[in-house]
């Protein structure tokens, strides 16, 4: 699931909970400052479009 999300261009998935299952999907914790910077970048590039 995590690999598929990344292959589709996904950059951030805010799981809000750290645990073995979330980690098994490829999630890794990150500092809040980095998360906010990544989020700003994702918002600036806009959503992926399927057309």
């Amino acid at each position: 699931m995590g690999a598929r999300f990344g292959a589709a261009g996904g950059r951030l998935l805010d799981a809000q909970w750290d645990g073995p299952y979330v980690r098994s999907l490829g999630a890794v914790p990150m500092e809040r400052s980095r998360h906010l910077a990544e989020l700003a970048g994702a918002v600036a590039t806009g959503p992926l479009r399927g057309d």
Side-chain angles (χ1 to χ4, degrees):
M1 183 178 196
R4 212 169 151 188
F5 177 70
R11 293 174 51 186
L12 290 175
L13 177 64
D14 187 353
Q16 299 182 1
W17 190 270
D18 186 24
Y21 176 71
V22 175
R23 296 277 182 109
S24 76
L25 298 175
V28 293
M30 70 170 62
E31 295 292 324
R32 179 176 171 76
S33 59
R34 179 176 169 211
H35 175 77
L36 294 175
E38 294 280 339
L39 182 60
V43 169
T45 58
L48 290 175
R49 296 183 55 153
D51 34 73

